[in-house]
Amino acid sequence: MFFTYLRRELRRRRKAALVVASGLALGIALVIVVSSVSSGMEKAQGKVLQSLYGLGTDMTVTKAAAPPTSTGQRPRFNFDANDNGSDKEQSSDRVMVQGFQTLAASTVSKVDSQHGVADSVGGLSLQVIRVNGQFTRGQFQQNGNGGGNRGGRQGGQQPPQGRVEGGGADFDVNNYSVYGTDVTKPALGPLTSSKITSGRTFTTSETNTEVVVADTSYAKEKKLSVGGTVTVKGVKFKVIGIATPDSGDAAANLYMPLQQAQTLAGAKDKVTTIYVKASDSQQISSVKSAIQKNISGTTVTTSADLANTVSGSLSTASDLASNVGKWLSIAVLVAAFLVAGLLTSSAVSRRVREFGTLKALGWKSGRVTRQVVGEAIVNGLVGGVLGIALGLAGAYAVTEISPSLQAQVGGSGGGGGQGGFGGPGRRVASKALDVTLTAPVSLSTIAGAVALAVAGGLIAGAFGGWRASRLRPADALRRVE
């Protein structure tokens, strides 16, 4: 009887039911679109952060660089200027630790022993300045009248008269970054944010082998290929692989085993960055506090800290989605629920005689209320189906359009240096990354939409049911619909 009457009433009041369902559908669709776009923002931001610290890394431990002093040693380059009449190309490399002060390699073990740390690995960030070129001797050009005795000078000849033409020095300065990575733990560090597209990566036995992995952009610029060699400070390294970063920007131009990097920089048993993986992602804050408390002089930067430094159109869009979009969704939902409730209550007012008759025939107030609530819930479910369909269509449209957003990451508040969270002095501190926005819809979002639809129906039914329960048969029968 309940379902028969329900079906008949919904069919008889199709237009009113469609209005209520449509209002709820718009609110639910907006919630789905905003929620999916917010998820897309988080995914895009995760891409940016992943390109900085690599997969599996939850935080880094560094020591802020000391402020520069006027007495600090500047890079010096020594060249020969032999007077042997030959012009020979000369070169000199200066290898410097970049971005942060160095930490003792034993600090890695201290970090690894902290509660909540699953694994940690050290790395050394270097900057190489290479100056190469040659000196060219000038040619002395004698004047035509520069010889012989002049002015009555006796007893000798005047020195030849003329000038030196040509000659000089032509030197080129090349600046590139090198990162020493611990090859015994390949699952951590910035190289994990790149994919080996040619050749291979390091093996765990190559702890002190003269091999490198080159970033794809640098390899293309310098025409490096797998099997070729690159010289750093007079040492020839074999290129074993080409790495392509997932987000378009690499941590360094060249990667080499940590011990080799320490030898080149004269920084034995030193690291600049410690990459840390937490055993539980929910305890990252407590792990950060423990490291800062137990290992003095260090700065711990988490992915959440770095996320606050992301700027550009990605940050703007994320703020709009999380703030404006959230409040707009809430406002539309509240409006939709109120309209649904008012329309249901209004429909009850127009059905006074009907409900009065049903009460006169023996229907209890509770049964009338359940009938009204049942109709409202069905309207809500219909609105939910329509809202989910509209929301999925909106999310699909955003994904298909795939708008491109820019993200620029500055150094974190306590990170020091120019490398920010990543450590190896990444160029992304001054270079914008392009990321594509998508709008993934999760099952939890759809479940939430269904819950909103039911809630909308219940709210609307509560308005109408309360109104219907207050009707008295004698008063209802005296009114004409």
Side-chain angles (χ1 to χ4, degrees):
M1 180 67 180
F2 172 80
F3 292 104
T4 301
Y5 192 80
L6 178 65
R7 184 174 63 253
R8 183 178 66 81
E9 288 302 316
L10 289 174
R11 184 181 300 172
R12 189 161 65 94
R13 301 183 190 331
R14 287 191 300 269
K15 290 184 179 180
L18 186 60
V19 170
V20 174
S22 298
L24 292 174
L26 289 176
I28 292 170
L30 184 59
V31 170
I32 292 176
V33 172
V34 170
S35 177
S36 60
V37 169
S38 296
S39 298
M41 296 294 177
E42 293 178 2
K43 187 176 180 180
Q45 192 177 67
K47 263 189 167 182
V48 175
L49 301 184
Q50 176 187 318
S51 72
L52 296 176
Y53 53 77
L55 294 172
T57 305
D58 295 313
M59 65 191 78
T60 58
V61 180
T62 57
K63 187 175 183 180
T69 60
S70 57
T71 58
Q73 184 179 4
R74 297 182 179 181
R76 298 182 63 86
F77 300 89
N78 299 319
F79 299 97
D80 295 328
N82 298 325
D83 188 20
N84 55 11
S86 63
D87 299 326
K88 185 175 68 172
E89 184 171 333
Q90 302 182 60
S91 65
S92 180
D93 288 351
R94 176 76 176 184
V95 181
M96 300 175 294
V97 174
Q98 174 184 318
F100 304 100
Q101 291 191 56
T102 56
L103 296 165
S106 58
T107 310
V108 180
S109 301
K110 292 181 182 179
V111 171
D112 204 45
S113 64
Q114 300 301 308
H115 178 70
V117 174
D119 201 3
S120 62
V121 65
L124 183 65
S125 174
L126 304 177
Q127 191 74 14
V128 181
I129 302 177
R130 179 179 177 83
V131 179
N132 66 295
Q134 61 185 13
F135 296 102
T136 304
R137 294 187 63 187
Q139 299 296 324
F140 179 77
Q141 301 293 332
Q142 184 175 353
N143 293 337
N145 56 357
N149 295 330
R150 298 186 60 185
R153 181 173 179 175
Q154 298 179 357
Q157 294 182 343
Q158 290 184 350
Q161 302 295 315
R163 63 184 183 276
V164 176
E165 293 184 351
D170 182 15
F171 283 83
D172 178 56
V173 179
N174 183 24
N175 189 5
Y176 60 96
S177 57
V178 175
Y179 192 74
T181 181
D182 190 341
V183 299
T184 62
K185 295 183 178 181
L188 277 178
L191 188 54
T192 59
S193 64
S194 298
K195 178 187 292 185
I196 302 297
T197 52
S198 179
R200 64 175 178 85
T201 188
F202 303 105
T203 63
T204 55
S205 62
E206 294 175 324
T207 55
N208 199 23
T209 309
E210 295 167 355
V211 291
V212 296
V213 172
D215 169 59
T216 183
S217 299
Y218 186 75
K220 185 177 181 180
E221 177 187 349
K222 300 300 179 181
K223 297 181 180 179
L224 300 176
S225 59
V226 175
T229 60
V230 59
T231 302
V232 183
K233 203 176 181 180
V235 181
K236 281 191 176 182
F237 290 84
K238 182 180 179 181
V239 179
I240 60 172
I242 305 296
T244 301
D246 292 334
S247 299
D249 194 84
N253 299 130
L254 296 174
Y255 301 88
M256 65 175 58
L258 178 58
Q259 289 187 29
Q260 286 289 332
Q262 291 170 336
T263 301
L264 289 176
K268 185 179 180 181
D269 296 329
K270 298 290 184 180
V271 296
T272 52
T273 307
I274 302 174
Y275 295 84
V276 182
K277 180 180 180 181
S279 55
D280 186 355
S281 61
Q282 303 299 320
Q283 298 180 356
I284 291 178
S285 296
S286 60
V287 174
K288 174 182 177 179
S289 300
I291 294 175
Q292 288 180 325
K293 178 182 177 181
N294 298 327
I295 305 176
S296 61
T298 58
T299 299
V300 183
T301 310
T302 67
S303 55
D305 297 329
L306 187 63
N308 294 330
T309 72
V310 176
S311 59
S313 58
L314 173 61
S315 177
T316 303
S318 180
D319 290 341
L320 286 174
S322 61
N323 296 324
V324 178
K326 178 179 69 176
W327 291 111
L328 180 61
S329 300
I330 293 175
V332 171
L333 273 177
V334 171
F337 287 174
L338 288 176
V339 169
L342 292 175
L343 288 175
T344 304
S345 179
S346 177
V348 170
S349 298
R350 292 193 298 270
R351 298 166 65 184
V352 169
R353 187 174 182 181
E354 173 189 341
F355 290 136
T357 303
L358 291 174
K359 282 192 171 185
L361 293 175
W363 279 39
K364 302 289 186 182
S365 295
R367 185 174 180 182
V368 173
T369 301
R370 286 195 299 273
Q371 191 68 44
V372 174
V373 172
E375 294 175 12
I377 290 178
V378 172
N379 288 337
L381 292 175
V382 173
V385 172
L386 293 175
I388 292 172
L390 289 174
L392 291 176
Y396 177 78
V398 172
T399 303
E400 282 297 304
I401 296 172
S402 298
S404 180
L405 300 175
Q406 283 192 336
Q408 186 170 351
V409 183
S412 58
Q418 59 182 339
F421 183 77
R426 314 181 71 93
R427 290 164 295 171
V428 292
S430 58
K431 178 182 177 182
L433 298 176
D434 290 326
V435 290
T436 301
L437 176 64
T438 59
V441 180
S442 62
L443 291 177
S444 60
T445 301
I446 296 178
V450 174
L452 288 174
V454 174
L458 288 174
I459 292 173
F463 273 93
W466 174 78
R467 187 74 178 272
S469 65
R470 293 172 60 87
L471 293 175
R472 292 189 301 170
D475 294 335
L477 291 174
R478 284 198 296 266
R479 299 178 58 181
V480 179
E481 189 179 23

